[in-house]
């Protein structure tokens, strides 16, 4: 089974830095394969709890090299919930890469474990008679301190449903549960990796991108 690794997170940072320099990222140091995947960016300033800055991926298997390259940029620049990440934010970022595994059809909306399973819900909106769906990665519920009901109800809202949430509607949900492996890397760890393996820190327009970095454009 393919698991999320340090090299995958490095490649996502490489891809984002390359976007700002106009270069191609270095060749990734991991083997290709076909798996569902997500890339999550968070931002931490002044020692604060990291806050979500972008998260996009795919629930369908795809080649992971091109997948991480595509979703590193899509989640950083085109998550509609947030403005695009700017180069000056790089030193504050952390990146989490997720490989999704073990898809199973749940027996009901309570048939999953907080902290272990991610969820995909699918249902028909009773107000508009349209299909809605949404997903949470496995770490979301435990990070937010949610139980089963809170997780399901907020996931229905994430899917775009704004009507009354009833027990009968919850019971009509089609729930798929899945697991994941993930790897989180802070930007400082990325810089250390690049220095160790390539001999110098990452640069934009010749300026090292470390704490205190000020973009020249």
């Amino acid at each position: 089974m393919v698991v999320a690794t340090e090299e995958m997170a490095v490649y996502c940072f490489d891809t984002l830095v390359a976007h700002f320099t106009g270069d191609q990222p270095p060749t990734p140091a991991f083997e290709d394969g076909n798996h569902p995947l997500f890339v999550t960016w968070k931002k931490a300033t002044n020692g604060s709890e990291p806050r979500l800055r972008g998260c996009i991926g795919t629930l369908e298997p795809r080649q992971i090299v091109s997948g991480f390259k595509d979703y590193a940029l899509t989640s950083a620049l085109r998550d509609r919930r947030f403005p695009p990440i700017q180069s000056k934010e790089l030193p504050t970022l952390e990146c989490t890469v997720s490989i999704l595994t073990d898809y199973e059809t749940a027996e009901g909306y309570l048939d999953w474990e907080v902290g272990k399973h991610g969820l995909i819900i699918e249902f028909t909106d009773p107000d508009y008679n349209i299909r809605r769906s949404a997903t949470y990665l496995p770490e979301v519920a435990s990070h937010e301190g949610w139980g089963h009901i809170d997780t399901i109800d907020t996931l229905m809202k994430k899917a775009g449903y704004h009507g009354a949430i009833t027990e009968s509607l919850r019971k009509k949900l089609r729930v798929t549960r899945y697991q994941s492996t993930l790897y989180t890397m802070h930007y400082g760890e990325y810089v250390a990796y690049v220095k160790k393996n390539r001999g110098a820190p990452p640069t934009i327009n010749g300026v090292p991108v470390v704490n205190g970095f000020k973009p020249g454009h």
Side-chain angles (χ1 to χ4, degrees):
M1 183 183 75
V2 173
V3 298
T5 65
E6 176 184 44
E7 289 75 20
M8 294 172 185
V10 166
Y11 188 55
C12 290
F13 269 118
D14 281 343
T15 298
L16 186 55
V17 170
H19 165 76
F20 293 122
T21 62
D23 299 325
Q24 287 296 314
T27 301
F30 57 90
E31 294 185 4
D32 210 350
N34 286 278
H35 295 276
L37 58 92
F38 271 74
V39 178
T40 303
W41 297 101
K42 291 185 178 182
K43 180 178 179 178
T45 53
N46 300 323
S48 63
E49 177 77 12
R51 295 192 173 190
L52 186 64
R53 194 63 179 78
C55 179
I56 295 179
T58 174
L59 298 169
E60 300 295 329
R62 65 164 294 175
Q63 289 185 313
I64 59 176
V65 170
S66 64
F68 279 126
K69 185 176 182 180
D70 289 348
Y71 287 111
L73 293 182
T74 302
S75 59
L77 307 173
R78 292 185 284 278
D79 187 326
R80 289 177 293 181
R81 298 171 292 179
F82 306 98
I85 289 175
Q86 301 179 44
S87 59
K88 65 183 180 181
E89 296 178 81
L90 279 167
T92 67
L93 296 179
E94 69 174 35
C95 178
T96 298
V97 292
S98 303
I99 298 283
L100 311 187
T101 62
D102 300 305
Y103 282 60
E104 302 172 301
T105 300
E107 295 298 323
Y109 75 89
L110 298 174
D111 184 27
W112 56 280
E113 293 182 35
V114 174
K116 178 179 180 180
H117 293 114
L119 300 174
I120 305 167
I121 63 166
E122 301 168 88
F123 63 101
T124 298
D125 186 322
D127 296 331
Y128 296 96
N129 197 34
I130 59 174
R131 295 291 291 172
R132 296 193 182 278
S133 64
T135 189
Y136 278 149
L137 296 174
E139 60 269 24
V140 171
S142 56
H143 180 267
E144 296 292 339
W146 292 335
H148 288 72
I149 301 293
D150 287 339
T151 303
I152 291 294
D153 289 359
T154 58
L155 191 51
M156 293 176 72
K157 293 176 183 176
K158 182 183 178 184
Y161 177 66
H162 300 294
I165 298 176
T166 62
E167 181 67 8
S168 62
L169 184 55
R170 293 189 192 104
K171 288 181 176 179
K172 293 177 182 177
L173 298 175
R174 178 182 177 185
V175 180
T176 302
R177 67 188 190 189
Y178 59 87
Q179 299 179 50
S180 72
T181 69
L182 54 84
Y183 192 96
T184 297
M185 171 175 275
H186 298 270
Y187 183 79
E189 296 169 320
Y190 166 68
V191 171
Y193 178 99
V194 173
K195 284 181 179 178
K196 177 181 177 182
N197 291 279
R198 302 174 194 163
T203 61
I204 293 178
N205 296 333
V207 179
V209 188
V210 294
N211 285 330
F213 167 74
K214 296 290 190 295
H217 56 278

